[in-house]
Every structure is written in structure tokens, then in C-alpha cells.
Amino acid sequence: MERLVEDKHQPDPDGVIPHVLATCAAYSYAGFEQHSDVETVSMIMARLGLEENGCRAFEQRVDAMYIASAAYLVQDKDRRVAVLCYRGTQPEDIISILTDADVRPEMLCVELEGRKHEVHAGFYRNVRATRHLVIEALERAVRGESLNPEEQGTRGGLEALYITGHSLGAAMAAIMAVTLVHEPRYRHIAEKLKGVYTFGQPMVGGPDLARACEETPGPLHNHVLRDRLIRYIFDRDVVPALPPRPVGPYAPFGREFHYRGRHGPVDAALTFVADSAIEGLTLPSDVLRTAADRDWGGLLLRVTEGVRRSVRPLLRAGGQGWTEVTEPGLHYPQMDSVAGLAVVAPLAFFATRLALTRTIPFKYSFDDHGPGHYVNALAPPGVLSEFGDVL
């Protein structure tokens, strides 16, 4: 709790906060037949340091409208800290999968610099489905009241709010953060927001939204969505590259941390060849699009960035671990074609099951999207895991 309140650095240098929030996001999938499991989430957070916490779940499900929204709010016993965690796409739930696929643009009802922007319709609809319940609970937390409406009395008062999630839950966390930071009526809540940590997050809006989130300051004149929204990407996770380019331009915002597994020189060279081939295959369509738009400078920039991304595996051969990507041009790129989602990622998923094909350098992988990868890769040495083991 003290570390969460302290807020000296985001992420903290010891890596404890990312690990705790990644674990919370992973266990938000607990439950049976799409129902929430408050007891499990509360127990996991208690094991990681928030002893005697209070936890509530907020759910709404309407299959015909592709709504499968679930959020957990965890409050420490002194009511100084709250963690809002959104549940991601459940593999067995067709409705949450259809939510991901609803890529139609919808106008975000929040202004940034006097203008509104479009976001992914499915993600936004699921945020709004539980937003009022979540806001009501956050109002109670700000006042120092218990998340349980039946429990009377106040103490403490919210000092630190964190928002997190994995996959669909990460996208919902990002949209909720934008809403809190730039909706004037939520200013008193946004002032408590210390960090937004997302894991395997798909992109939620276009380049204009990303630019506005980076440039528009928050309620305390700080750039929350640029400096304190932290996206973690594990190796070749396919989801952060989505939605694919054919459905429209999307772009990320916030700080990006990318984990690369240990790959030998041969794997790195093969990855370079594969990435270069993919960049080459997409070049003709880019030239035609550029000729229509007459944006030759944009084409040159995209080709340059593609070459630099392809070269990076050669430069980092043998390396392993998390690295912050500080150059926007080298951020995890939007997938260029639907083939990467329909063919490459599934093949990579099955290839990792066999020792013979495990190191084939697929560009994307569904297997790398698993929440357990994020928990394990973010675990700092010497801390207790959710199982009570010293890592």
C-alpha cells in the first residue's frame, strides 16, 4: 500500500507495481460461465500486500448488444488505495470475442482540446455499460467510504487510484482513463489517478486521438496519458498490433515497454528476413495509397521506420528483457493485413507447442498474449508470488 501511495516513479524502479497489477489483471479472468469471482481477486491482492482489502465487481451482460463488461474495484483496509481492474476477453465467450471484432468507429463523448474523437465501438460500449456503477463506487472511495454500501462510516480517503487490465480489459482501462482525465465532472477522481498499466492492449483509436492524448494535459496540468499510461507488450503478442490496418488507421499512446525473449543469431536473422519480406509485400499497396493521397513524405517515413524495425532483431540478438520504446516511429506497428491475424498468429500458437518449431520467428503469436506470460516476465526477484513463493 505504501508503495502505491508513494508514487515516486511510474513504473517503480523495483518493478513491484507492474507485477502486482499484471497479476490482478490475470486473475480478473477468474470465475465460472462468465460470472465474476470477487473472492479470488480479493485473495490474490491480499497475498500481494493489500491485506484485508475490500473488493466489488461490476458487471453487465447483454448478448444481443455484444456487451460482456466486467470490472473489479479493490480498496485497501485503510481506504487510501483503489485498484480498478477490467476483465479481458474470455476465450470461451463468443460475446466478448464479438466485442473485439466490432471495430466500427464511435464518437467518444469527451472533448480533448475542444474536439471529440472516434474510438473502437466495441471497447467503448463495454466501458459505458458499467461506467456509472464504477464512478459511483469511486465517489465513495474518494470520500473515504467503504465500497460496500451497507458499511457505514468514513476513514482515510482515496490518495492513489490505479487502473489496469489485460487484452480487452486493457483497452477498457485506457478508454476509462481518457474519460476520467478529460471529463470535467470527474476531475476530483482523476486527481487521484497515479497510473494506468495495461498488458497486451489493442489500440483504441486513430492517430488523431493518440496525438491528442499525448499532447493534452490532465486536471493537474500533467500529461497523465503520455507519462503514466504504461503499455506492456510481451514478445510477439498479436493483440497490441490490432485492429489490423485494413479496418482503418489506429495508433497507440502512452509509454511502451516491450519484452523480447532470448533469441540466437540464427533466429534473429530469420526474423529480419521475415519482417523485411512482410514490409516488402505491403509496399505496393502503400505506394498506390500514397499516389492517391500525394503523401510521399509519409511513405518515406513509413519505409524508413519499417527498415529500422526489421533491423532491430539483428541488433538485439541474444538480449532478453523489458525495454522502453522511446521513439514513436519504433512503437509496435499496426498489423498490415488480416492474414497476420487469421494465419500467422494461429500457426505461431501451435508451433510453440513443439520443440522442433518453437523458435520459428513468426511475426505475431496468440500464445504470447497469455496473461501468465506478463505475470512471469514482470516478476522482480525476491518478491512473493501469488502462490506464496519467493521469486
Side-chain angles (χ1 to χ4, degrees):
M1 183 189 69
E2 294 299 334
R3 187 183 292 267
L4 291 169
V5 171
E6 192 176 46
D7 184 38
K8 286 186 177 179
H9 301 280
Q10 298 293 344
D12 70 292
D14 298 329
V16 173
I17 291 177
H19 175 243
V20 168
L21 296 181
T23 307
C24 184
Y27 280 89
S28 68
Y29 289 98
F32 178 70
E33 294 184 347
Q34 295 90 51
H35 294 295
S36 61
D37 186 347
V38 170
E39 290 77 15
T40 294
V41 173
S42 178
M43 174 186 66
I44 292 299
M45 294 302 283
R47 288 180 180 178
L48 295 176
L50 288 183
E51 294 90 353
E52 302 177 40
N53 64 73
C55 183
R56 284 187 65 189
F58 308 94
E59 293 182 282
Q60 187 174 102
R61 187 177 179 91
V62 185
D63 288 3
M65 294 183 65
Y66 304 158
I67 293 176
S69 180
Y72 292 90
L73 188 59
V74 183
Q75 182 186 48
D76 77 289
K77 62 181 179 180
D78 294 327
R79 302 178 188 170
R80 298 171 62 197
V81 172
V83 176
L84 174 60
C85 180
Y86 284 95
R87 186 180 69 200
T89 303
Q90 295 179 295
E92 78 283 4
D93 183 11
I94 186 61
I95 299 303
S96 61
I97 293 173
L98 290 173
T99 290
D100 296 336
D102 188 3
V103 296
R104 295 175 298 109
E106 187 163 331
M107 195 65 70
L108 181 68
C109 296
V110 177
E111 291 187 357
L112 286 81
E113 295 185 326
R115 125 163 234 213
K116 293 184 178 179
H117 299 268
E118 292 180 333
V119 293
H120 185 291
F123 300 157
Y124 188 32
R125 183 171 55 250
N126 275 263
V127 171
R128 287 183 292 173
T130 52
R131 182 187 65 196
H132 295 294
L133 295 173
V134 170
I135 292 294
E136 182 183 349
L138 288 174
E139 296 271 12
R140 294 182 61 86
V142 169
R143 294 192 297 265
E145 299 175 4
S146 170
L147 297 182
N148 180 4
E150 298 178 359
E151 188 175 337
Q152 302 300 312
T154 62
R155 64 172 177 266
L158 186 63
E159 298 177 37
L161 169 65
Y162 290 82
I163 307 178
T164 190
H166 170 266
S167 192
L168 164 63
M172 293 170 68
I175 292 176
M176 186 59 166
V178 175
T179 303
L180 286 178
V181 170
H182 293 291
E183 175 59 66
R185 59 184 164 157
Y186 300 148
R187 178 188 177 107
H188 59 297
I189 300 175
E191 289 175 349
K192 311 296 182 181
L193 182 59
K194 301 297 185 184
V196 183
Y197 286 72
T198 70
F199 308 96
Q201 178 205 316
M203 291 170 275
V204 301
D208 288 344
L209 172 67
R211 193 176 307 110
C213 288
E214 296 272 354
E215 296 176 355
T216 309
L220 297 177
H221 305 291
N222 54 353
H223 289 78
V224 179
L225 301 177
R226 182 190 69 193
D227 302 330
R228 291 174 173 265
L229 190 150
I230 303 169
R231 296 177 295 108
Y232 288 91
I233 300 173
F234 181 81
D235 212 0
R236 296 163 182 167
D237 187 350
V238 64
V239 172
L242 300 177
R245 194 181 302 277
V247 307
Y250 278 74
F253 55 91
R255 295 168 64 188
E256 178 179 306
F257 286 79
H258 193 181
Y259 180 90
R260 282 295 186 184
R262 189 178 300 280
H263 300 291
V266 174
D267 288 339
L270 290 173
T271 301
F272 168 75
V273 172
D275 288 353
S276 299
I278 291 172
E279 294 288 343
L281 287 173
T282 59
L283 187 59
S285 62
D286 287 339
V287 171
L288 291 175
R289 193 180 302 113
T290 300
D293 298 339
R294 304 189 178 214
D295 181 20
W296 296 103
L299 176 63
L300 179 62
L301 178 63
R302 190 180 179 296
V303 170
T304 302
E305 291 173 351
V307 171
R308 293 173 69 192
R309 279 196 300 269
S310 298
V311 169
R312 273 197 299 173
L314 291 175
L315 300 178
R316 297 185 58 189
Q320 182 177 18
W322 292 100
T323 303
E324 182 171 8
V325 181
T326 55
E327 295 183 57
L330 296 181
H331 279 169
Y332 209 61
Q334 185 179 10
M335 184 181 289
D336 287 308
S337 69
V338 180
L341 180 62
V343 180
V344 177
L347 282 175
F349 176 83
F350 290 108
T352 57
R353 285 356 189 216
L354 302 174
L356 184 63
T357 56
R358 192 164 292 152
T359 60
I360 293 178
F362 289 98
K363 189 176 181 66
Y364 303 111
S365 171
F366 277 125
D367 183 70
D368 285 354
H369 186 57
H373 290 306
Y374 287 91
V375 174
N376 294 334
L378 283 164
V383 303
L384 284 176
S385 74
E386 73 273 27
F387 301 114
D389 304 316
V390 177
L391 298 174

